[in-house]
Structure formats: C-alpha cells, structure tokens
Amino acid sequence: MEKEQIEAKVKEIIAEKADCESSDVKEQTNVEELGLDSLDRVELVMEIEKEFNICVPDDEAENAVTTKDFVGLVEKHRSNR
C-alpha cells in the first residue's frame, strides 16, 4: 500500500470518528481541533490498528495528535511486520 493510500484511509477514519468530511482533515490537522478527546484518540488508534492489522504501543499512541502522526504510526508498524 502506497503512502498516499495510507494517508487517505487514515483521513477517512479520522473524519468518520470526528463526524466531518475527509477533505476537512489535513496532514497537520490536530484531532483535538476536530473535537476528539483522549478517549476518542484511543478509539481512533484501535480503529487504525484494526484497519491496517498493526499493533501500536500505548506510549506511541499517546503521542499521536495530528493526521501526520497517525500516518507515521501506520508506516512504522507496517514496516516492522
């Protein structure tokens, strides 16, 4: 899967969780700006893990706040498989 495809899917997942359009989710968008709190971020990571069949350590998941961060987690943990 190409980086663009990963980014598009992550944006789609974030948009669905935030109940907004995926076009509203940019690379530097902080998910808190979209109204997502810490519990929503945990659920977001769980959804991303499920979608991409990866496992993200809690300490890394806690630091992810932007779309770019979440895409980076996917890329890192897909390459570790």
Side-chain angles (χ1 to χ4, degrees), residues 45-57:
V45 170
M46 290 170 52
E47 186 65 31
I48 288 170
E49 287 176 322
K50 181 179 171 185
E51 177 66 33
F52 293 100
N53 194 28
I54 60 173
C55 184
V56 177

Side-chain angles (χ1 to χ4, degrees), residues 13 17 36-49:
I13 293 168
K17 187 74 183 155
L36 301 181
D37 61 20
S38 58
L39 178 58
D40 292 322
R41 284 189 11 229
V42 169
E43 293 172 352
L44 185 60
V45 170
M46 290 170 52
E47 186 65 31
I48 288 170
E49 287 176 322

Side-chain angles (χ1 to χ4, degrees), residues 4 7 11 13 17 19 22 26 30-31 34 57 64 67-68 74 80:
E4 295 79 25
E7 187 173 325
K11 286 180 178 181
I13 293 168
K17 187 74 183 155
D19 196 28
S22 58
K26 307 295 183 210
N30 185 317
V31 294
L34 298 174
T67 304
K68 184 177 180 177
V74 173
N80 288 343

Side-chain angles (χ1 to χ4, degrees), residues 7-37:
E7 187 173 325
K9 188 62 182 175
V10 168
K11 286 180 178 181
E12 183 180 309
I13 293 168
I14 292 171
E16 185 175 313
K17 187 74 183 155
D19 196 28
C20 67
E21 298 295 321
S22 58
S23 60
D24 296 334
V25 181
K26 307 295 183 210
E27 185 179 43
Q28 294 301 324
T29 298
N30 185 317
V31 294
E32 292 174 355
E33 294 170 6
L34 298 174
L36 301 181
D37 61 20

Side-chain angles (χ1 to χ4, degrees), residues 41 45 57-66 69-70 73:
R41 284 189 11 229
V45 170
D58 291 341
D59 60 328
E60 290 182 36
E62 290 172 3
N63 294 324
V65 293
T66 66
D69 294 339
F70 289 105
L73 289 176

